Amino acid sequence: ASGNVVIDRRVITDAAITDSPQVVVDSQNNAHIIWSDFRNNNWELYYEKIAPDGTTVVNDHRLTNAPGTTATPSVAVDAANLYVAYEDNRDFDREIYYMKLDLNGNVLVDMRVTNARGRSELPSIGIDSAANAYIVYSDYRDGNAPQVYLAKVNTQGSVVFERQLTSAFGWSVQASLAVLANNIHVVWQDHRDGNAEIYYQKRDVDGNLIGTERRLTNNPANSAGPIAVVNGASAAHVLWQDFRD
């Protein structure tokens, strides 16, 4: 809790390029790391599990095996499983995929979530108390300006709904979500005001808007790359990069 570095070690020893690492920690304080890796001359997702003392519990292994680029994973964890959203262009268009793993990195479900004209990218995933997964992402199906969409995937791996969250003029991108008390907190970077600002919505588990959409930043400089997190008191916290200074 003091912020001192306890362990600092290299996780991946392969010489290939690696990108977009994501880590979550389970109830036993094991770290689960998923990243995009080019070791087989193609971008694929890999996994490794690390114990609290820094030792490797499950060696790194490949999760995906498809032609095309697999990238930008987002990961959530509960007491039994890992949940992963990622983008993949194996079907000649960039689409969002969903994967469910056990806590040793074995793939239980791997399925395509989106299936619309125009690319879908940059997913962020969260889960509710019933282990339903919620994924937000940027989607270009409605023209040149991307909008934010939300998909719900149930425990059987079926898409329950896919819903458009934004429709304003200008780009809506880099969405992030956090789920707590069965409420979905969504933030994103929005260009409707002539520059990049951070916006926020709260949704229920059926995707319905709770209250009104809110603009969080208001400065002539750009505000970008928001990340949403929640605490045990049902409060949402948002971090972002800001160019005002």
Side-chain angles (χ1 to χ4, degrees), residues 95-96 114 116-121 137-143 145-149 162 172:
E95 301 287 354
I96 302 301
T114 59
R117 181 180 179 181
R119 71 182 188 266
S120 306
E121 62 185 13
Y137 48 92
S138 297
D139 198 290
Y140 288 77
R141 71 184 67 178
D142 301 304
Q147 300 295 333
V148 176
Y149 277 70
E162 188 183 14
S172 299

Side-chain angles (χ1 to χ4, degrees), residues 10 18 20 25 30 34 50 52 65 83 95 98 107 111 146 183 186 192 220 231 239:
R10 182 172 177 176
T18 56
S20 304
V25 178
N30 296 298
I34 294 176
I50 298 177
N65 190 357
Y83 307 83
E95 301 287 354
Y98 163 83
V107 177
M111 55 164 284
N183 290 315
V186 183
R192 72 183 71 172
N231 64 16
L239 302 91

Side-chain angles (χ1 to χ4, degrees), residues 26 39 44 49 53 61 76 86 91 100 131-132 137 144 158 180 186 203 220 225 230 232:
D26 65 26
R39 72 182 69 176
E44 302 288 352
K49 181 178 179 179
D53 63 0
H61 61 267
Y86 60 96
D91 300 305
K100 182 177 179 180
N132 298 297
Y137 48 92
N144 294 325
S158 299
L180 183 66
V186 183
R203 298 267 171 171
V230 291

Side-chain angles (χ1 to χ4, degrees), residues 104-154:
N104 288 313
N106 298 304
V107 177
L108 306 176
V109 177
D110 187 15
M111 55 164 284
R112 181 172 169 174
V113 174
T114 59
N115 190 5
R117 181 180 179 181
R119 71 182 188 266
S120 306
E121 62 185 13
L122 302 176
S124 174
I125 193 169
I127 53 171
D128 65 18
S129 58
N132 298 297
Y134 302 86
I135 306 168
V136 289
Y137 48 92
S138 297
D139 198 290
Y140 288 77
R141 71 184 67 178
D142 301 304
N144 294 325
Q147 300 295 333
V148 176
Y149 277 70
L150 169 69
K152 179 178 181 178
V153 180
N154 65 21

Side-chain angles (χ1 to χ4, degrees), residues 40-52:
N40 298 110
N41 297 315
N42 192 50
W43 287 106
E44 302 288 352
L45 295 189
Y46 278 73
Y47 165 87
E48 184 168 329
K49 181 178 179 179
I50 298 177

